[in-house]
Amino acid sequence: IPLHQSTTPSAIRAAAARRKATLQDMHVYLRRLGLDLNDAPSPSSSSFSSQPPPLILHVTGTKGKGSTLSLCESLLRRHHNLHT
C-alpha cells in the first residue's frame, strides 16, 4: 500500500521503509551508470560551469510512465536536439 493510502501505524511504517529502500536503490543505479551524487559539482564550484551535470529524468508511479517518457523524449529531440 502506498504511503498516502496507509491507514494504520504499521502500514505507514512499512510504506516509509519501502520509500527509503527506493532512494537507496536509485543511488545504486546512478553508480552503475558511473554517476555519483557525492562527486557532483556544486553550482558554486569552478568545475560546474565547465562540466554541466548530466540530464536525468526519473519517472515513477504505477501508470503512464511509458507515455510520459515518450512525450519527454519527443520534446528533447525536437526542441533541444538531445537524444536518448
Side-chain angles (χ1 to χ4, degrees):
I1 298 175
L3 185 58
H4 69 279
Q5 295 176 357
S6 302
T7 56
T8 65
S10 62
I12 291 170
R13 282 191 295 277
R18 281 193 310 277
R19 186 162 299 213
K20 288 178 186 173
T22 301
L23 185 58
Q24 292 166 351
D25 290 343
M26 190 63 207
H27 283 275
V28 170
Y29 300 143
L30 287 172
R31 281 194 299 274
R32 286 182 187 171
L33 292 170
L35 304 171
D36 188 351
L37 295 178
N38 295 325
D39 293 336
S42 68
S44 62
S45 72
S46 60
S47 63
F48 184 76
S49 59
S50 63
Q51 190 177 43
L55 299 173
I56 298 173
L57 293 175
H58 181 189
V59 179
T60 65
T62 57
K63 296 185 184 256
K65 290 184 293 291
S67 57
T68 299
L69 289 172
S70 292
L71 174 66
C72 291
E73 180 182 28
S74 176
L75 291 169
L76 290 170
R77 286 178 185 270
R78 182 174 297 152
H79 298 289
H80 298 284
N81 199 28
L82 297 174
H83 299 280
T84 57

